[in-house]
Amino acid sequence: MENLTATFRLLKHSSRNLFDRRSSLQLFNSIRSSNSGLTYNCTRSCEQFTRDVCYHKQNFLAHSCLLRGSGNGNLTNLPRFEGYGFRIHCRTLASAASTTVRNQSFSSINSDDISYFKKILGERGVVQEEEKLDDANTDWMRKYKGSSKLMLQPRSTEEVSRILHYCNSRCLAVVPQGGNTGLVGGSVPVFDEVIINVSSMNNILTFDKDSGIMVCEAGCILENLISFLDNEGYIMPLDLGAKGSCQIGGNVSTNAGGLRLIRYGSLHGSVLGLEAVLANGTVLDMLGTLRKDNTGYDLKHLFIGSEGSLGIITKVSILTPPRLSSVNLAFLACKDYTSCQKLLSEAKRKLGEILSAFEFLDIKAMDLVLKHLDGLRDPLPSSMHNFYILIETTGSSESHDNLSNCYFESVPFSHITREKLEAFLLESMESGLVTDGALAQDINQASSFWRIREGVPEALMKAGAVYKYDLSLPPEKMYDLVEEMRERLGDAANVVAYGHLGDGNLHLNISTQQYNNSILSKIEPFVYEWTSKQRGSISAEHGLGLMKADKIHYSKSAETVQLMAAIKRLLDPNGILNPYKVLPMSVLSQIGGNKPNKEV
Amino acid sequence: MENLTATFRLLKHSSRNLFDRRSSLQLFNSIRSSNSGLTYNCTRSCEQFTRDVCYHKQNFLAHSCLLRGSGNGNLTNLPRFEGYGFRIHCRTLASAASTTVRNQSFSSINSDDISYFKKILGERGVVQEEEKLDDANTDWMRKYKGSSKLMLQPRSTEEVSRILHYCNSRCLAVVPQGGNTGLVGGSVPVFDEVIINVSSMNNILTFDKDSGIMVCEAGCILENLISFLDNEGYIMPLDLGAKGSCQIGGNVSTNAGGLRLIRYGSLHGSVLGLEAVLANGTVLDMLGTLRKDNTGYDLKHLFIGSEGSLGIITKVSILTPPRLSSVNLAFLACKDYTSCQKLLSEAKRKLGEILSAFEFLDIKAMDLVLKHLDGLRDPLPSSMHNFYILIETTGSSESHDNLSNCYFESVPFSHITREKLEAFLLESMESGLVTDGALAQDINQASSFWRIREGVPEALMKAGAVYKYDLSLPPEKMYDLVEEMRERLGDAANVVAYGHLGDGNLHLNISTQQYNNSILSKIEPFVYEWTSKQRGSISAEHGLGLMKADKIHYSKSAETVQLMAAIKRLLDPNGILNPYKVLPMSVLSQIGGNKPNKEV
């Protein structure tokens, strides 16, 4: 214990803020990692950051085959990852696409349709070039590929409305698309659906500097919003790895989770209002900018997380919190999962209002990262530990040096949040919850801590084939699944666990030499059934899309799915909006088949 | 300025925590004030609290004519306020009730119905005694009175399901009821609807000490939940004046706002899951306990705030935050509304994570309180100010005295949140945003500060007739309405403003000698039209109920209301659930009329 206390004591004398997420936007593109969604970049132009920036840049280049260019929303000519592991992954995991049959009640586009769209959108808004369509037809992971011959790029809500009114009357299926960064095949066509890409609707419409309420169009790239808010002294309540490409309309449509959920909650809480266009072209103006409004049913929530299957979100009103200036990060070790859980509970109680991240990885994940990622070193090198935890705190720590009458110079606030974290860590070590730990002293150290957590998906890809599951589970049960899975699979696979422990979100990854139906049959449906028994969610933050549409019953009751289907029928009687997604085909097949009626 | 700085300096030396909301539950009943919803009571059994407690007890007795007994949910033999002002209030404001016509497609109960209900609920669950029915037929303010001859008291979800299945097949209209504390006539029958009171379903089912997630039945009284959580070291994210009687099912059904919204957000963020019974008896199990679940449409939000018109909520799963121990309170003066707004913006930025209340009242409200409430004194007596602000901060400030290796004795955390507030106030005075202020030094002072804010509705009732409006408005526009209203009304009325400035929620009250149609015609529809033009809400936290059902178009677009009606038709085709409420009669009249079909 003396040794451990010494570790902290060694680290305790720096009070400089470690880093500042807000500065992550201009200098280089974001690095996207598929599951963790975690990036930690810095751009402040001072020398101390140079090494870190170079490291990230190298990293970005090295893995660009996995990435789509960020920051501009341009989908053309982007590198694709074509490695061996990927092709198998594709074949194995995209099976939903191969078993889906086109709904024959949908029309196919013809020259009259094209003429009509050109009339309302102009030539520029009607995309038929093969190369552009190829990108728009393919998801980021190249797991799913549609065969659409037409992408429309409206520039206003009215244009979206006219497009949908027409498509509905013609029974032309459509797929709404933003940054096309989804991981479950939700943002690309399955067959020849018309792609409605809202990237051109990318204006910030209003921002209230007092309330922090921003209204913007659906096509705004998340990173641009973060950057805009940074200049205003605010932050987005949402931050995720795909921020350089993903768009706010898609974020809201998929109820994206991300890094700040533990602190700022889900988009159901942050989004104050929406404008959405229904399948028949009706524009629903629910674009309130109020924190409180109890006048009738709060219909915006239907569109948050419905993955574009009920309407196309065209504008978003969102409450953004003030940017806080003091950020600290600790990398800790725990001897068992129970300690991790208790540490979380204690952190919520004692760090309370300043806790901004609580991430975990197990020994297998740590081992993989250290093996496969260059340049990373173990922050706690004396021995390997069963579990590792990252705790980040963020607080308001204004320097009050400019106050002439300030009477408490002895308590500079820039120290307070750090000291609070230090005190918490000391206490946790004293009580035995934490067996070792380090508190980042500077931006480089913080970045290297985050890099370990961020690096897990990448290390997994390098290790071979991987079966990935994104699960929400009661935290007390979460690790039981990992252990049971290890028992089931024995030496046949490496079962790796990490994720957002603070949100109860487990990323369960099963790493093998190669994909193998025998192993898959031991994993599925076991993993879904186990999750279902614990009343967990088979999709914590990625949505269902095409990939898991027919798995919904593992997380939702039959009655609830029936009601979802009834609402889908009510809002989209012809089923033209993002077909084959979200709900099972058996339910969806009851929709559609209305006689196309060109009444435009 | 020297003098003002001195004020704070004078106050700065105490670092004891002022009070602790968690201790407000056992000793005496809550005092409910109609609009502010604000109570601040203490029960810690130490001498320092005695005077305060006595004061509250006297207060409770003095105003018991306005109150319903709290803490037990028992509705019988409660005193009613029968004063002059009230009767006029009743006649004037309950006009919606008098213009509503019974939907003749609803059946009337007969002896077969009674027999059936006794069969499934037993004698105890079927209430026909006139006295009990009188209470259940009448709302808390006695503005609305139905004529139901039957109240059912189910004890399980299955019983609710069987009741609704039967009522739906018989086309018997029902009104769901919990604590019956609503202020818009939503929780009582309009005519002879069957009352389904869920008070007997009052079990806490599970509580997870690590995650703070609680699952309970709909009939749990809010105060009991607060008390239970207090023992566990957690708090409800919801707190409001009616907590001694209101029930969580009703809170969720009406999306209750209350005191903690600025800190913990709305119930759309806190409620993790629901169980609800549809009109036809279908039980929707959406009772998840997960922070993240992106599997299909998040239908629970349809039931949050739909005032029992889409289904009856039977169980609730809610995320509760850890209880934080350091609470501080400041009472401040501002010279103009712009300063109030700026102060809010600064408070959000600089107090950030510890800000837990930001309330305001204007000079008219302060004047009324000082005139009409006994025993209150002005905390800033040197002069009257145009605006008064209450700022409360709450933070985690664990004492670390028990840490043997603690190295920062010079920064005891019990001081930190207080010092942060003090520093903020000093800075605000230096910059001129605040012209005078006091920081509460003990529980009595804190209580007297809150009593001023809480006392406004009571002072208004004592001052004469009052027209009350509960509005959400963009904060920058909020006070313009008050000033325009003053200009419109001149000397004919006293226009008083107070409310939850931090949430953009204005309680606009127009106080006159007596009710007068000429004055009313100058207020309405002007106040609704003005609110509508600003894209505000005509009901920030009270809901629409019967009172404002036909006013919904002031806050929601025609297309949105149409979709609400379509969803109502989908979920409740016979329109039996809480008829005449929430949606305008013109829309509701399209529902119902199905031939009753006894198929039970």
Side-chain angles (χ1 to χ4, degrees), chain A residues 233 255 285 292-295 297 309 349 396 405 407-408 420 422 430 472 505 535 537 539 541 556, chain B residues 233 255 285 292-295 297 309 349 396 405 407 420 423 426 430 472 505 535 537 539 541 556:
Chain A
N255 189 30
D285 176 359
K292 294 163 92 167
D293 176 19
N294 278 354
T295 53
Y297 313 152
S309 66
R349 185 174 313 276
S396 61
N405 287 320
Y407 52 82
F408 46 85
K420 201 165 182 175
E422 282 174 340
E430 291 285 333
S472 250
N505 186 178
R535 300 185 67 95
S537 170
S539 182
E541 57 182 8
K556 293 287 159 71
Chain B
N255 188 31
D285 176 0
K292 293 162 92 168
D293 177 19
N294 279 353
T295 54
Y297 313 153
S309 66
R349 185 174 312 276
S396 62
N405 286 321
Y407 51 83
K420 201 164 181 176
L426 268 176
E430 291 285 333
S472 251
N505 186 178
R535 298 186 67 95
S537 170
S539 182
E541 58 182 7
K556 293 285 158 74

Side-chain angles (χ1 to χ4, degrees), chain B residues 271-417:
Chain B
V271 171
L272 297 181
L274 288 180
E275 181 188 75
V277 185
L278 300 183
N280 66 3
T282 298
V283 178
L284 279 191
D285 176 0
M286 306 171 289
L287 202 58
T289 54
L290 307 167
R291 285 207 70 176
K292 293 162 92 168
D293 177 19
N294 279 353
T295 54
Y297 313 153
D298 201 346
L299 297 183
K300 68 172 179 279
H301 296 286
L302 273 182
F303 299 89
I304 301 174
S306 59
E307 304 181 46
S309 66
L310 295 180
I312 298 184
I313 291 174
T314 44
K315 295 190 183 98
V316 173
S317 161
I318 189 163
L319 180 68
T320 72
R323 192 186 63 213
L324 304 178
S325 51
S326 170
V327 184
N328 288 284
L329 183 67
F331 193 92
L332 310 172
C334 292
K335 64 179 185 301
D336 52 32
Y337 183 72
T338 305
S339 299
C340 298
Q341 256 193 280
K342 281 189 185 158
L343 190 69
L344 171 61
S345 182
E346 292 288 298
K348 283 203 238 176
R349 185 174 312 276
K350 292 180 178 164
L351 300 173
E353 68 279 11
I354 62 168
L355 183 64
S356 57
F358 196 103
E359 301 285 314
F360 93 109
L361 54 162
D362 69 1
I363 188 169
K364 300 282 187 184
M366 185 67 166
D367 184 59
L368 269 185
V369 166
L370 295 175
K371 252 188 208 153
H372 292 284
L373 300 190
D374 296 335
L376 277 188
R377 63 179 195 85
D378 187 346
L380 311 170
S382 59
S383 66
M384 287 295 281
H385 301 269
N386 290 329
F387 292 90
Y388 297 88
I389 301 280
L390 263 87
I391 296 181
E392 188 194 71
T393 60
T394 312
S396 62
S397 300
E398 296 291 325
S399 164
H400 289 270
D401 297 343
N402 56 339
L403 281 184
S404 54
N405 286 321
C406 185
Y407 51 83
F408 47 85
E409 287 80 3
S410 59
V411 191
F413 284 162
S414 57
H415 293 239
I416 289 174
T417 55

